[in-house]
């Protein structure tokens, strides 16, 4: 989006809705409806198998296909996803990281097909492609968990994409340094700014040192780096954070990299406002939260977002419907087109209050950047577990403040009396549900695709990819060849797994602290944990598990930290486990309870598999409890199928959850309360 350089009315930002589900056909229809409603950019949500490099028929894909986004298994799916949408005129954001190179290759392949259909030159078409691949793997190790490869090879994939994009798709942002998810897992404004800048430094250093571009083109690299940030309800502080981002980015690009062109030093960012703060209780309050958070990134003209996407009011309940997403879009349109916001110069320039807050954030971020750089940079700080421990501790402190009532959340820990909400009168119909047939159909479709290809061409392209990965060659060309040959997402990722290996990031739990968590309630639960251990003759052990591909681990990590604080021995092996692996660990470790965390919508498939697996292993006295975004009807079904307790976002007091888990353990062993 061009930046105005005069005093005329500012141009509206790109308006997006993060969307995609079920299938490429269903998502294409959704995108076309959204564009017809005035949306000015596309934001593609991919399902977890696509994000983590698996085909729909893989064991780990069970229950995950089409849930949190659209499944894209090959170029045929990408072709269908953008059917009837001219890519030369689109502005497409793709939230994709570990497999970002693959999805960009598929997008480029479809663009080339459209160019041929329209009689356009290939290079001319590629030069018109505008959009973004998120492609920030550092924050995946810290928050979302959709990483695949170790940090070194992952940074190589990013470097290759950046170098290739600057040369071939000059309007494309090959990476979106994404601090959004850092705030979702507890980052303070200082941490969000600092860790985003550390990630940018690691990427820019890697591209510069790769030698793939001459020095005189490095300004173009810097000019294509964009950011994707979060904005919480403390909207004055959040607005100051955005100004601080701009100050530091100007400083780093000018002083560290010697960029002289002010346009290339411009801090360009898009935003989705906070989802962590959305509540299941009185969810209608989420509407005003979303609007206030939007002000944080739109009020200050000199720090205004150039692309905004808003969550729907009911995302703490489940997958939003098209009408819910339309409401979120209309919020943006009212602000941009009905109000006078865009008519004025920056409203906050010269304010000593604002400047003092900006300076505070800048100074704190500088100090944290220096700390991380002294460790060897962002990759080293990930591998050592430093960043992850900081995030887990920060979120633990935030939860403590909420539980103690120090941070007020309206409808949650204060003002919790309410009238019945007409917005929820439809019950289960108040959220979007995915037909169970979606996964079966996607699995059948990918098997049919494999059988209809030219096998020799596929094998040759995959062999070329593996060989290139063993050298220092840029992998974009080999990846595009794979895309055009009909290789699947799982096959591309599997080939690179063979060369690069896989990675399990530090959980951050062992080094985390929940300072200040005390009081009679916690002491009482500690006593109950100790007493139950005495009655059973051993210390209570809990296995905290993340089945399937859901990588949002902050909830599981907080449960693990609190369980440790009340006296449990905690077994937590991180994310991306099959039900069979969780059962095996429960048996091997001799735990007394299994606690599962599922946020991706796969709970009806993966949780009963754990319950049934324990029974098959002859373990009848180890109850299974579940936490996540679980609709009431699904919770009832899971209880019928053997789950002992279901906790949802309304159950925000972790100490009370621990107390209930002790009760569940005692009941499972026939222990009476003394």
């Amino acid at each position: 989006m061009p930046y105005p350089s005069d005093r005329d009315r500012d141009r509206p930002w790109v308006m997006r809705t993060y969307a995609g589900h079920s299938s490429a056909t269903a998502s294409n229809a959704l995108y076309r409806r959204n564009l017809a409603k005035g949306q000015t950019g596309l934001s593609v949500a991919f399902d977890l198998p696509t994000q983590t490099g698996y085909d729909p028929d893989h064991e780990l894909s069970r229950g995950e296909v089409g849930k949190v986004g659209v499944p894209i298994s090959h170029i045929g799916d990408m072709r269908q996803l953008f059917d009837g949408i001219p890519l030369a005129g689109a502005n497409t954001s793709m939230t994709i990281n570990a497999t970002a190179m693959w999805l960009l290759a598929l997008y480029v392949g479809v663009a080339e097909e459209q160019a041929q259909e329209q009689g356009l030159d290939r290079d001319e078409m590629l030069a018109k492609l505008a959009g973004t691949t998120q492609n920030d793997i550092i924050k995946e190790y810290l928050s979302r968990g959709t990483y695949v490869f170790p940090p070194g090879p992952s940074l190589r994939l990013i470097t290759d994409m950046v170098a290739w994009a600057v040369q071939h798709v000059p309007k494309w942002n090959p990476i979106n340094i994404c601090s959004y998810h850092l705030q979702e897992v507890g980052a303070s404004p200082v941490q969000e700014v600092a860790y985003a800048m550390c990630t940018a430094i690691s990427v820019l250093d890697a591209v510069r040192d790769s030698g793939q571009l001459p020095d005189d083109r490095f300004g173009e690299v810097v000019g294509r780096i964009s950011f994707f940030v979060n904005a919480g309800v403390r909207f004055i502080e959040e607005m100051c954070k955005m100004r601080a981002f701009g100050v530091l980015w100007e400083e780093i690009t000018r002083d560290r990299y010697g960029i002289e062109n002010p346009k290339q030093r411009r801090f360009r960012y898009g935003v989705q406002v906070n989802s962590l703060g959305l509540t299941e209780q009185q969810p209608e309050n989420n509407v005003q939260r979303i609007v206030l958070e939007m002000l944080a990134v739109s009020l200050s003209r000199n720090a205004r977002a150039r692309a905004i996407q808003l969550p729907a009011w009911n995302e703490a309940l489940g997958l939003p419907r098209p009408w819910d997403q339309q409401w979120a879009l209309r919020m943006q349109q009212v602000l941009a087109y009905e109000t006078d916001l865009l008519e004025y110069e920056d409203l906050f320039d010269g304010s000593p209050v604002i400047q003092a807050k900006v300076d505070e954030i800048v100074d704190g971020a500088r100090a944290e950047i220096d700390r991380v750089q002294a460790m060897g940079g962002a990759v080293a700080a990930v591998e050592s577990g430093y960043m992850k421990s900081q995030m887990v501790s920060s979120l633990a402190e935030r939860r403590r403040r909420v539980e103690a009532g120090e941070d007020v959340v309206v409808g949650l820990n204060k003002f919790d009396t309410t009238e019945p909400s007409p917005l929820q009168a439809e019950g289960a119909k108040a959220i979007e549900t995915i037909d169970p047939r979606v996964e079966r159909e996607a699995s059948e479709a990918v098997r049919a695709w494999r059988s209809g290809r030219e096998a020799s061409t596929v094998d040759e392209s995959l062999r070329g990819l593996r060989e290139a990965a063993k050298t220092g060659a840029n992998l974009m060309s080999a990846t595009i060849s794979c895309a055009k040959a009909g290789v699947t997402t799982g096959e591309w990722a599997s080939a690179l797994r063979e060369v690069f290996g896989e990675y399990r990031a530090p959980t951050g739990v062992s080094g985390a602290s929940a300072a200040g968590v005390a009081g009679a309630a916690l002491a009482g639960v500690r006593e109950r944990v100790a007493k139950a251990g005495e009655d059973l003759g051993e210390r209570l052990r809990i296995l905290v598990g993340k089945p399937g591909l859901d990588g949002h681990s902050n909830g599981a990590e907080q449960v693990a930290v609190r369980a440790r604080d009340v006296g449990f021995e905690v077994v937590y092996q991180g994310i991306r486990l099959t039900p069979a692996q969780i059962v095996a660990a429960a048996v091997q470790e001799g735990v007394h309870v299994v606690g599962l965390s599922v946020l991706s919508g796969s709970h009806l498939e993966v949780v009963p598999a754990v319950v049934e697996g324990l029974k098959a292993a002859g373990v009848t006295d180890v109850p299974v409890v579940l936490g996540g975004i679980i609709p009431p009807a699904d919770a009832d079904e899971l209880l019928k199928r053997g789950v002992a307790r279901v906790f949802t976002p309304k159950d925000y007091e972790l100490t009370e959850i621990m107390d209930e888990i002790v009760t569940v353990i005692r009941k499972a062993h026939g222990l009476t309360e003394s």
Side-chain angles (χ1 to χ4, degrees):
M1 178 65 69
Y3 281 72
S5 58
D6 54 27
R7 292 178 178 269
D8 293 339
R9 179 184 176 92
D10 196 6
R11 295 168 178 83
W13 50 88
V14 175
M15 299 181 189
R16 294 190 172 114
T17 303
Y18 184 53
H21 67 84
S22 299
S23 67
T25 299
S27 298
N28 172 264
L30 178 61
Y31 295 162
R32 294 170 76 164
R33 289 200 306 272
N34 286 346
L35 291 170
K37 293 172 183 174
Q39 185 175 300
T40 52
L42 295 172
S43 180
V44 182
F46 297 100
D47 73 352
L48 288 174
T50 303
Q51 292 185 51
T52 51
Y54 295 105
D55 288 335
D57 57 349
H58 192 278
E59 179 187 10
L60 275 169
S61 299
R62 181 181 178 186
E64 307 283 14
V65 177
K67 290 284 176 64
V68 301
V70 57
I72 298 296
S73 300
H74 46 72
I75 195 168
D77 286 342
M78 187 67 86
R79 188 183 298 132
Q80 179 57 47
L81 186 66
F82 291 101
D83 182 47
I85 301 175
L87 297 188
N91 190 309
T92 305
S93 171
M94 295 194 282
T95 300
I96 197 70
N97 295 279
T99 56
M101 178 178 285
W102 174 244
L103 272 299
L104 179 58
L106 293 176
Y107 192 84
V108 166
V110 172
E112 290 183 4
E113 291 177 354
Q114 290 190 1
Q116 188 173 11
E117 292 168 2
Q118 299 166 23
L120 298 177
D121 177 74
R122 170 188 179 273
D123 293 338
E124 181 185 352
M125 169 63 86
L126 296 185
K128 292 180 178 180
L129 295 184
T132 301
T133 34
Q134 193 167 99
N135 202 21
D136 174 3
I137 205 66
I138 299 296
K139 64 92 175 52
E140 295 300 314
Y141 299 125
L142 301 175
S143 54
R144 290 183 76 244
T146 67
Y147 55 83
V148 175
F149 314 111
S154 294
L155 192 57
R156 175 195 172 173
L157 292 174
I158 294 170
T159 299
D160 287 355
M161 278 185 67
V162 172
W164 186 88
V166 166
Q167 298 175 81
H168 299 282
V169 280
K171 291 184 179 180
W172 193 267
N173 301 318
I175 185 170
N176 224 200
I177 306 295
C178 186
S179 68
Y180 171 86
H181 301 93
L182 301 184
Q183 186 179 125
E184 293 290 289
V185 294
S188 66
V190 165
Q191 289 172 323
E192 186 180 343
V193 173
Y195 297 155
M197 290 298 159
C198 288
T199 298
I201 289 170
S202 69
V203 171
L204 288 174
D205 284 359
V207 175
R208 180 195 60 198
D209 297 344
S210 74
Q212 295 191 52
L213 291 166
D215 292 344
D216 60 4
R217 297 198 68 179
F218 194 68
E220 297 174 54
V221 174
V222 173
R224 296 322 305 169
I225 302 295
S226 62
F227 291 77
F228 189 72
V229 306
N230 204 326
V233 76
R234 290 172 56 84
F235 69 98
I236 302 300
E237 181 178 56
E238 292 292 286
M239 186 266 290
C240 293
K241 178 187 76 180
M242 300 319 309
R243 295 170 74 97
F245 258 124
V247 170
L248 281 170
W249 186 239
E250 169 80 11
E251 184 178 290
I252 289 169
T253 55
R254 182 191 64 234
D255 299 344
R256 184 182 179 95
Y257 297 110
I259 304 303
E260 298 178 357
N261 186 335
K263 289 185 178 180
Q264 293 175 337
R265 296 198 306 264
R266 181 176 289 141
F267 179 70
R268 301 178 306 117
Y269 79 97
V271 65
Q272 172 157 323
V273 305
N274 188 272
S275 294
L276 180 67
L278 302 182
T279 62
E280 180 184 5
Q281 300 93 319
Q282 300 181 29
E284 62 275 8
N285 294 334
N286 295 331
V287 174
Q288 49 265 35
R289 291 185 180 110
I290 291 166
V291 171
L292 290 171
E293 290 162 355
M294 178 170 52
L295 292 180
V297 295
S298 59
L299 277 177
S300 173
R301 180 165 178 167
N302 290 339
R304 183 170 292 150
R306 300 320 303 176
I308 296 177
Q309 58 191 45
L310 303 180
W313 68 278
N314 57 349
E315 287 193 15
L317 307 177
L319 187 67
R321 302 159 298 183
W323 183 87
D324 305 314
Q325 293 186 324
Q326 174 182 297
W327 193 357
L329 175 62
R330 295 293 186 243
M331 293 177 194
Q332 295 196 58
Q333 291 168 330
V334 168
L335 180 62
Y337 296 109
E338 290 192 24
T339 77
D340 58 350
L341 173 69
L342 301 181
E343 296 176 8
Y344 302 100
E345 293 295 294
D346 196 286
L347 306 176
F348 301 99
D349 283 355
S351 165
V353 174
I354 296 298
Q355 191 58 49
K357 188 64 179 177
V358 172
D359 291 343
E360 176 187 323
I361 296 172
V362 167
D363 290 344
R366 275 200 197 106
E368 187 64 10
I369 291 168
D370 290 344
R371 190 173 296 113
V372 171
Q373 293 306 113
M375 296 177 185
V379 171
V382 165
E383 292 176 326
S384 70
Y386 170 76
M387 279 189 180
K388 185 66 173 181
S389 292
Q390 293 297 107
M391 297 289 94
V392 175
S393 295
S394 183
L395 185 56
E397 170 59 16
R398 181 184 184 278
R399 290 197 67 95
R400 183 201 66 78
R401 295 196 307 269
V402 172
E403 291 182 28
E406 296 172 18
D407 287 358
V408 172
V409 181
V410 174
L412 184 72
N413 62 4
K414 197 166 186 177
F415 313 118
D416 56 0
T417 58
T418 182
E419 299 295 330
S421 170
L423 289 176
Q424 295 179 272
E426 295 178 278
K429 294 181 180 179
I431 58 172
E432 187 82 18
T433 56
I434 304 301
D435 192 318
R437 291 178 299 179
V438 163
E439 184 168 317
R440 185 180 69 250
E441 292 172 355
S443 297
E444 293 171 353
V446 77
R447 285 193 287 268
W449 175 270
R450 292 192 199 109
S451 65
R453 305 173 302 182
E454 181 60 54
S456 60
T457 304
V458 170
D459 292 343
E460 183 180 349
S461 64
L462 286 171
R463 185 165 49 252
L465 176 67
R466 291 188 195 94
E467 292 305 314
K470 295 173 184 176
T471 71
N474 188 299
L475 294 179
M476 270 301 299
S477 294
T479 296
I480 292 172
S481 295
C482 285
K484 293 178 179 178
V487 166
T488 69
T489 298
E491 291 168 339
W492 177 85
S494 179
L496 293 184
R497 281 184 170 100
E498 291 178 25
V499 179
F500 295 151
E502 291 193 74
Y503 186 69
R504 295 196 70 81
T507 66
V509 170
S510 60
S513 64
V517 176
L522 195 73
V525 177
R526 280 190 186 130
E527 290 178 5
R528 291 196 70 211
V529 170
K531 182 62 169 61
E534 290 174 9
D535 292 345
L536 290 171
E538 58 183 341
R539 185 181 177 189
L540 291 192
R541 288 183 295 279
I542 180 173
L543 185 151
V544 178
K546 289 287 296 179
L549 297 175
D550 172 23
H552 285 87
S553 59
N554 52 304
E557 290 154 2
Q558 294 306 307
V559 166
V561 170
R562 188 62 56 87
R564 184 191 64 196
D565 290 344
V566 299
F568 278 93
E569 180 182 333
V570 177
V571 179
Y572 178 54
Q573 299 173 329
I575 62 171
R576 215 175 298 164
L577 300 171
T578 66
Q581 289 172 322
I582 291 173
V583 169
V587 173
Q588 181 178 349
E589 299 287 347
V591 300
H592 300 95
V593 63
V594 172
L596 303 178
S597 170
V598 181
L599 298 171
S600 63
S602 63
H603 45 268
L604 288 178
E605 291 83 11
V606 296
V607 176
V610 173
V611 174
E612 293 158 10
L614 287 170
K615 290 179 182 177
V619 180
T620 58
D621 58 355
V622 176
V624 174
V625 300
L626 170 66
I629 299 176
I630 316 296
D634 290 358
D636 291 341
E637 174 66 19
L638 289 165
L639 292 171
K640 292 176 184 176
R641 297 176 69 175
V643 176
R645 295 287 189 279
V646 176
F647 302 102
T648 66
K650 71 178 184 299
D651 304 300
Y652 70 96
E653 293 194 5
L654 285 177
T655 302
E656 290 186 4
I657 292 175
M658 294 299 115
D659 192 48
E660 184 64 19
I661 289 174
V662 176
T663 299
V664 167
I665 293 172
R666 296 190 70 91
K667 181 178 178 181
H669 287 271
L671 300 177
T672 58
E673 296 286 351
S674 57

